[in-house]
């Protein structure tokens, strides 16, 4: 039973789009039922072999406990078969798709190492028509995290925005700038790779409304982690979260037009179009493909460990 005050609160909050109720709490083995494993070729030409769920479990490439889920690449096999497409790894996609929502990712560890190209993102149907939001992405342990939108033509971003990160290209159109999208480079070193992991990881959160898309990052030991994020409350209020790390307002990009319902995708590839092309300039040894093939133990840190994913709508 909803009191009048509570009903009014709900009405006003949904209009403001700032407080949300949890609709999904994904922890441990929930990843097996709420995500599908996609044993597909990597469209970005990575040195990777994405396996199905049975293979991932059998080879311990995914592992669920009561409070965590690990998704890793193989770190024991030397690849000497020249017909191999690459190192075994995992790509999963949420069974549900979301329009306006908040997603909070509590992450203890992200993949690191030369040649790695991990991604945590949201993807719509019929790319690029349904839109793409890259929440965590980077290669070869280089630099800080990059948050990027990729869309069909007609979605651009203003130069001046209320965000702590640094805007890169302003046109989100996949057909220009070699599909670099409209990205924002985060400021803290702890937002990505080995520095993220040394700090025990942290939280990434995304809010999508019809007036914009924003992403926040808080390191594990940061003093400004909002209480609702830190303790995984069943409601969140994004008005209390402070300036986002990256924000993409709808001023010159109609969000509901350029973004359909999006699925969450988590994948880990090696080399390929991005990690491979900047491999040497990242200070990595040998060539990317031979390094990935010959040095399984170099990929002991190539794993995601999630404490939880919470979805609020
Ligand atoms: C992995 O993620 C990136 C997004 O960062 C994407 O471009 C790439 O195509 C993905 N690989 C697969 C197999 O989907
Ligand atoms: C599987 O991986 C998990 C997480 O890394 C680890 O704790 C566990 O010991 C592994 N199991 C086996 C049989 O190697
Ligand atoms: C944005 O796109 C939606 C869906 O295509 C449309 O209904 C709406 O009128 C558009 N809004 C503006 C301000 O153009």
């Amino acid at each position: 039973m909803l009191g009048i005050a509570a009903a009014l609160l709900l009405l006003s909050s949904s209009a403001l789009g700032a407080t949300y109720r949890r609709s999904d709490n994904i922890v441990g083995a929930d990843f097996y039922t709420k995500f599908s494993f996609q044993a597909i070729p990597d469209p970005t030409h990575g040195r990777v072999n994405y396996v199905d769920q049975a293979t991932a479990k059998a080879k311990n490439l995914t592992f669920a406990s009561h409070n965590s889920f690990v998704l890793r690449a193989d770190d024991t096999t030397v690849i000497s078969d020249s017909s191999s497409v690459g190192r075994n790894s995992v790509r999963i996609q949420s069974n549900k798709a979301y329009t306006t929502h908040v997603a909070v990712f509590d992450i203890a560890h992200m993949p690191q190492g030369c040649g790695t190209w991990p991604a945590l993102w949201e993807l719509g149907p019929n790319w690029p028509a349904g839109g793409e939001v890259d929440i965590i992405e980077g290669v070869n342990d280089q630099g800080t995290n990059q948050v990027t939108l990729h869309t069909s033509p007609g979605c651009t971003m203003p130069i001046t925005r209320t965000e702590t990160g640094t805007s890169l290209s302003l046109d989100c159109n996949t057909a220009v700038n070699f599909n670099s999208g409209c990205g924002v480079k985060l400021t803290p070193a702890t937002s990505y790779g080995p520095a993220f992991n040394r700090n025990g990881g942290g939280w990434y959160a995304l809010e999508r409304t019809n007036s914009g898309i924003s992403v926040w990052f808080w390191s594990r030991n940061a003093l400004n982690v909002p209480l609702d994020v830190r303790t995984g409350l069943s409601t969140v209020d994004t008005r209390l979260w402070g300036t986002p790390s990256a924000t993409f307002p709808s001023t010159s990009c109609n969000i509901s037009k350029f973004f359909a319902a999006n699925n969450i995708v988590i994948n880990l590839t090696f080399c390929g179009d991005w990690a491979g092309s900047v491999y040497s300039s990242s200070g990595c040894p040998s060539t990317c493909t031979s390094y990935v093939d010959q040095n399984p133990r170099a990929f002991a840190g190539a794993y995601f460990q999630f404490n939880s994913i919470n979805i609020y709508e």
Side-chain angles (χ1 to χ4, degrees):
M1 256 212 312
L2 219 52
I4 288 179
L8 282 175
L9 188 66
L10 272 181
L11 273 177
S12 64
S13 63
S14 65
L16 284 169
T19 69
Y20 301 80
R21 275 165 193 274
R22 184 158 62 201
S23 56
D24 248 316
N25 170 232
I26 305 171
V27 180
D30 298 337
F31 281 81
Y32 289 122
T33 53
K34 295 188 174 177
F35 281 82
S36 298
F37 285 58
Q38 299 183 298
I40 57 173
D42 179 356
T44 49
H45 314 104
R47 186 73 184 150
V48 73
N49 180 48
Y50 286 125
V51 302
D52 60 22
Q53 184 178 137
T55 308
K57 280 181 170 166
K59 294 184 180 297
N60 207 30
L61 300 180
T62 57
F63 176 82
S65 71
H66 74 284
N67 61 0
S68 91
F69 179 76
V70 171
L71 178 161
R72 64 165 71 253
D74 169 284
D75 65 354
T76 57
T77 309
V78 172
I79 300 169
S80 43
D81 173 2
S82 60
S83 69
S84 168
V85 297
R87 185 160 295 288
N88 282 347
S89 184
V90 178
R91 183 190 204 263
I92 60 175
Q93 174 170 308
S94 66
N95 295 327
K96 282 193 196 163
Y98 307 95
T99 54
T100 56
H101 68 292
V102 166
V104 178
F105 304 88
D106 182 347
I107 307 171
H109 191 280
M110 75 166 69
Q112 64 176 66
C114 273
T116 57
W117 176 0
L120 164 63
W121 48 307
E122 294 196 349
L123 174 69
N126 190 21
W127 188 91
E132 171 182 343
V133 184
D134 301 325
I135 303 165
I136 298 181
E137 193 175 22
V139 295
N140 302 322
D141 292 347
Q142 289 302 291
T144 59
N145 185 44
Q146 191 173 312
V147 180
T148 309
L149 308 189
H150 299 270
T151 67
S152 40
C155 169
T156 60
M157 289 297 137
I159 291 182
T160 306
R161 288 180 255 169
T162 309
E163 61 187 5
T164 59
T166 306
S167 299
L168 306 172
S169 305
L170 301 176
D171 192 343
C172 311
N173 180 1
T174 56
V176 303
N177 301 326
F178 304 98
N179 183 26
S180 56
C182 51
V184 175
K185 196 83 181 154
L186 268 51
T187 306
T190 53
S191 63
Y192 189 78
F196 176 90
N197 294 331
R198 276 195 300 274
N199 261 353
W203 293 265
Y204 270 92
L206 167 139
E207 180 184 34
R208 171 175 160 190
T209 72
N210 288 333
S211 4
I213 293 171
S214 295
V215 169
W216 287 259
F217 164 67
W218 301 277
S219 190
R220 182 70 55 197
N221 50 14
L223 298 174
N224 64 338
V225 189
L227 180 75
D228 47 12
V229 169
R230 187 159 37 84
T231 59
L233 293 182
S234 57
T235 61
V236 290
D237 185 347
T238 57
R239 286 171 298 192
L240 306 177
W241 287 4
T243 304
S245 309
T247 197
F248 305 90
S250 63
T251 339
S252 50
C253 176
N254 184 339
I255 299 293
S256 58
K257 177 175 167 199
F258 288 98
F259 293 86
N262 279 10
N263 296 87
I264 298 167
V265 182
I266 301 163
N267 64 349
L268 166 59
T269 190
F270 303 97
C271 310
D273 295 345
W274 188 11
S277 64
V278 296
Y279 182 80
S280 302
S281 60
S282 301
C284 288
S286 176
T287 66
C288 196
T289 301
S290 69
Y291 186 73
V292 167
D293 286 2
Q294 303 302 320
N295 298 286
R297 289 308 296 162
F299 300 94
Y303 67 95
F304 277 109
Q305 182 173 350
F306 290 91
N307 296 327
S308 64
I309 299 176
N310 280 309
I311 308 294
Y312 302 82
E313 289 176 277

